[in-house]
Amino acid sequence: MIRTLSLLVVLGVGLLMAGAALTGGPPRADLTYVNPSGVHTLDPARMSWTQDFRVALNLWEGLSTWDPRTLEPIPAAAHAPEISDDGLVLTFSIRDDARWSNGDRVTAQDFVRGWRRAMEPGTAADYLFFFTEHIAGAGQYVDWRNKHVAALTGLRKLARGTKPSDNERRLIEEFALARDGRNSVAWLDAPQHDWGKLADELLIRHAAEAETRFAEVGVAALDDRTLGLRLTHPCTYLADLTASPVMLPIHESIERLRMREGDLPFTAEGLVVFDPQWTKPSYSRHGYDGLITNGPYRLSDWVFRQRLRMEVNPHNRAAGSIQCRSVEMLKFANVSASLMAYEAGVVDFLTDLSVPYGHELARLARAATSTDPDRHSSDGRADFRICTVLATYFLNFNCVRAEVNGRPNPFTDARVRRAFTLATDRAALVERVLARGDRIAGSMVPPDSIPGYTPPMGLPFDVDKARALLAEAGYDDPAALGPIEILGTFNDERLVQAVARMWREVLGVRVEIRTQETKTLAKDKIDANFLVARGNWYADYNDPTTFLNCQTTGDGNNDTGYSNREYDALLSAAKSETDPARRARLLREAESILVERDCPVLPILHYAQIIAAKPYVRGLHANARLWFPFQYVSIDR
């Protein structure tokens, strides 16, 4: 397949080079790589894409980072913390040589600033739970702030002549009216009031109380070089969390771009919002000096959705030893176009080769590295590497709705869910249908990925038992199940079609497939408007709970609606368990319930991702987090 691309490369490379010549700019970077979808945001508090993480963790440095080979958390901007006997109080000493890209010293207050931004309504995003689930007082502070923001939003609506929501109305009564001794219902229903004035009064009171409230949160700068942290429970994987983008420090210069209502640190609705241009390298509004970061690199150029350039941070403690002095990130229209550029020598490193012919690329990668003479091939590609990723693809069964789109839902019965799981030959799907190097999944947690944890095996492929379970559930005639619809996306249509064929052949059921755009599918899952729907999960941190918490009762990522008190209790017990072996047993017992008994989800595979790096690029290691620290890279052209 790759050899046949040569003609396309000849035709395309001229266009690529011509485009580069026309745009001018600095000379070619030491390393040029492709991020498949570019960068969505460089605000660490709002990141949720691996592509963004990859850039951020080269620009910033947290309290900890990950070893480039093993992915074990290691100290970074701070030394290893002092930890109290009960594991609840940690004290971090910031390194004396930790520096921002403008030469300023990194302080404990910079971490408090970054973490508080990530908790505040207006800035908080997907990883808010890192704080609310682990840091003492964070959940209470966030709840208090959100309620006042809702009340203020409702009052501003009234001032504009629009109607507040029921929740906003309730909170207006609680915070803006009842505390003043007014008859809240009468006030809200009265025809004329100065709602703007009432909102201003509430905002002033709220702002005055905010600092006192935040002081109760368990993160504080004890002095410039010392950060104190109080947890709600011992956290064995805390160093993995503190390496993540949402827990990065933020330089004080960002405060010049905070949006304010008068002299208050909030917007009129009580939000914490900053000029979205703050992540630009040359933005100068209000005396701002452009983005300042504390990692091995600084941002020198960024054209949104096109390219990004990083240069060595001259004030970083490792600056003198970094051989890869400049890095350029490019974005192409699709992965095939980026592969063409790679073959033409325009780029040196591809972070993703997810293409329809990925099975052929995987074959080339395996052929070049195999030690088996029968499998080794001179036609293989040693520059193609397969990363085993800490991520799982699975199918969700709707566990809660008796009917979906007017059709009875048989998957409210765990026996039916187990039957469909037993009727799925995952080995055939992974090894013959896809053949990309993915691993067969019997569990949600990928095996051999998290030290000290061995996940359960999951249910095997067993046709007879699957049919017997259906009969036991009252479906002697599989036609009585009605048509089973699987929701998928266009990207996984091949796999979903194979699953449908398998269920038709093994169980004799009628299966229909509906492919959707990702946003439409996500909404149907939120609304429980499906029978079976595809799902996947990429680990947020290196612990089994990143996969298992998603199936607890009421979790925002629990698309199945599954609820089991025993399962929830096991995860709750594991949260407070300090003995690693006992904790691992509790988690394994919970996962056994999930994948061998109740089966709200059907794990199919643990992802593999193919990357490509030119032979002259040294120091890039295939890893399960798809994180590539460029400070360890050398170029030997």
Side-chain angles (χ1 to χ4, degrees):
M1 172 60 71
I2 296 305
R3 303 306 181 190
T4 64
L5 286 173
S6 57
L7 179 59
L8 290 175
V9 170
V10 171
L11 294 172
V13 69
L15 294 174
L16 290 165
M17 293 300 190
L22 288 171
T23 58
R28 175 169 172 168
D30 291 340
L31 177 73
T32 302
Y33 83 101
V34 177
N35 240 1
S37 57
V39 170
H40 302 82
T41 178
L42 279 183
D43 186 336
R46 303 192 65 78
M47 288 183 178
S48 61
W49 292 78
T50 299
Q51 293 93 321
D52 299 356
F53 291 0
R54 192 176 292 130
V55 174
L57 294 173
N58 278 287
L59 291 174
W60 277 277
E61 180 181 63
L63 296 173
S64 55
T65 187
W66 293 293
D67 182 277
R69 289 181 180 272
T70 66
L71 291 181
E72 285 292 309
I74 54 176
H79 300 287
E82 297 178 7
I83 305 175
S84 63
D85 291 341
D86 61 6
L88 297 180
V89 179
L90 295 88
T91 306
F92 293 87
S93 296
I94 309 300
R95 293 177 61 112
D96 290 335
D97 56 2
R99 290 290 188 275
W100 291 101
S101 54
N102 69 343
D104 289 349
R105 295 180 72 173
V106 177
T107 69
Q109 185 56 45
D110 295 328
F111 280 94
V112 175
R113 181 181 303 107
W115 293 17
R116 183 171 181 177
R117 281 188 76 248
M119 298 182 213
E120 292 286 1
T123 305
D126 291 354
Y127 289 95
L128 172 63
F129 74 95
F130 274 27
F131 304 97
T132 57
E133 289 190 6
H134 299 287
I135 297 180
Q140 293 87 335
Y141 175 76
V142 168
D143 182 63
W144 177 79
R145 285 280 288 122
N146 283 335
K147 286 180 176 178
H148 278 78
V149 165
L152 286 162
T153 300
L155 286 170
R156 300 300 181 188
K157 286 180 180 179
L158 287 166
R160 295 192 299 268
T162 57
K163 184 179 179 181
S165 69
D166 290 342
N167 182 56
E168 290 164 353
R169 178 188 173 100
R170 178 179 63 82
L171 293 170
I172 290 169
E173 293 171 356
E174 179 178 349
F175 295 118
L177 302 177
R179 64 176 292 164
D180 293 336
R182 295 168 177 146
N183 183 318
S184 57
V185 175
W187 261 72
L188 278 172
D189 291 338
Q192 292 183 343
H193 289 296
D194 190 344
W195 297 113
K197 181 180 178 182
L198 192 60
D200 290 342
E201 292 172 358
L202 177 60
L203 181 62
I204 291 168
R205 290 198 303 265
H206 179 70
E209 192 178 352
E211 292 305 313
T212 302
R213 290 274 185 166
F214 186 76
E216 297 172 1
V217 178
V219 57
L222 305 182
D223 56 45
D224 280 353
R225 314 301 296 164
T226 311
L227 182 73
L229 185 61
R230 289 184 294 111
L231 304 179
T232 57
H233 55 270
C235 182
T236 58
Y237 51 90
L238 183 70
D240 207 68
L241 300 182
T242 55
S244 65
V246 75
M247 288 187 144
L248 292 172
I250 298 295
H251 189 265
E252 64 180 351
S253 59
I254 194 177
E255 292 299 326
R256 299 175 190 173
L257 300 180
R258 183 192 284 260
M259 297 182 183
R260 299 173 179 270
E261 179 71 6
D263 294 330
L264 301 177
F266 304 130
T267 66
E269 291 78 19
L271 298 171
V272 171
V273 179
F274 297 83
D275 185 331
Q277 303 298 312
W278 78 272
T279 55
K280 295 292 181 67
S282 56
Y283 194 60
S284 57
R285 182 170 174 250
H286 297 319
Y288 187 63
D289 297 322
L291 181 65
I292 297 172
T293 59
N294 72 319
Y297 294 90
R298 62 180 179 85
L299 188 64
S300 59
D301 184 40
W302 182 22
V303 180
F304 188 62
R305 297 190 183 280
Q306 292 185 40
R307 67 180 186 274
L308 175 150
R309 189 179 178 98
M310 296 181 283
E311 309 275 352
V312 165
N313 171 6
H315 299 286
N316 185 267
R317 62 183 175 278
S321 62
I322 296 175
Q323 296 185 44
C324 184
R325 308 297 292 180
S326 58
V327 179
E328 181 125 20
M329 182 214 79
L330 299 178
K331 177 186 179 298
F332 286 85
N334 54 58
V335 178
S336 291
S338 67
L339 179 56
M340 183 176 71
Y342 175 82
E343 292 291 281
V346 176
V347 297
D348 311 303
F349 173 42
L350 299 177
T351 61
D352 186 9
L353 284 173
S354 299
V355 289
Y357 46 90
H359 59 286
E360 176 63 14
L361 303 187
R363 184 193 68 77
L364 292 171
R366 288 192 296 265
T369 57
S370 176
T371 57
D372 184 343
D374 294 331
R375 295 187 178 184
H376 185 84
S377 171
S378 59
D379 291 331
R381 294 286 299 264
D383 58 330
F384 290 177
R385 310 176 196 174
I386 300 176
C387 296
T388 300
V389 184
L390 195 59
T392 303
Y393 178 97
F394 53 90
L395 295 177
N396 292 289
F397 295 119
N398 190 328
C399 299
V400 290
R401 289 186 59 178
E403 289 188 354
V404 176
N405 295 325
R407 300 175 178 177
N409 174 18
F411 296 111
T412 55
D413 188 329
R415 293 170 297 182
V416 175
R417 301 195 297 266
R418 284 201 303 275
F420 275 74
T421 301
L422 289 161
T424 307
D425 186 351
R426 288 169 273 200
L429 295 172
V430 172
E431 296 172 355
R432 295 201 292 274
V433 175
L434 297 179
R436 302 177 309 203
D438 305 296
R439 291 192 294 168
I440 301 164
S443 57
M444 287 295 287
V445 181
D448 305 317
S449 60
I450 298 174
Y453 182 74
T454 301
M457 295 292 292
L459 295 177
F461 177 51
D462 190 328
V463 175
D464 292 337
K465 192 169 183 179
R467 292 171 178 167
L469 270 172
L470 275 188
E472 181 183 321
Y475 298 102
D476 294 290
D477 179 7
L481 287 162
I484 302 300
E485 183 181 71
I486 307 176
L487 298 188
T489 66
F490 299 102
N491 290 333
D492 57 2
E493 191 171 6
R494 184 180 177 192
L495 177 61
V496 172
Q497 287 177 344
V499 171
R501 286 195 302 271
M502 196 172 287
W503 288 350
R504 292 185 194 113
E505 294 169 4
V506 171
L507 297 176
V509 298
R510 178 183 167 191
V511 185
E512 300 172 351
I513 297 171
R514 182 152 53 99
T515 53
Q516 300 176 311
E517 295 290 343
T518 303
K519 288 184 178 179
T520 304
L521 177 64
K523 185 177 187 309
D524 277 341
K525 288 197 289 187
I526 290 171
D527 296 338
N529 189 32
F530 69 93
L531 289 176
V532 184
R534 63 94 70 197
N536 62 0
W537 189 259
Y538 284 75
D540 293 323
Y541 49 89
N542 202 39
D543 187 79
T545 55
T546 188
F547 292 95
L548 303 183
N549 283 345
C550 296
Q551 298 302 320
T552 54
T553 302
D555 187 272
N557 295 299
N558 183 350
D559 295 323
T560 67
Y562 172 67
S563 178
N564 182 308
R565 289 183 180 179
E566 182 183 1
Y567 179 81
D568 293 349
L570 286 166
L571 283 171
S572 179
K575 183 181 290 187
S576 57
E577 179 55 68
T578 57
D579 180 84
R582 284 198 294 267
R583 181 174 183 271
R585 285 196 295 272
L586 289 168
L587 295 174
R588 192 178 195 279
E589 186 178 350
E591 190 172 8
S592 295
I593 293 172
L594 193 70
V595 300
E596 295 177 342
R597 193 182 80 187
D598 289 358
C599 301
V601 290
L602 164 52
I604 301 289
L605 60 87
H606 303 302
Y607 285 104
Q609 184 158 308
I610 305 170
I611 65 173
K614 295 291 188 180
Y616 52 75
V617 178
R618 313 287 187 184
L620 281 174
H621 305 289
N623 63 75
R625 302 296 283 273
L626 300 174
W627 174 60
F628 305 102
F630 299 129
Q631 72 184 96
Y632 302 108
V633 169
S634 61
I635 307 297
D636 186 20
R637 285 192 176 90

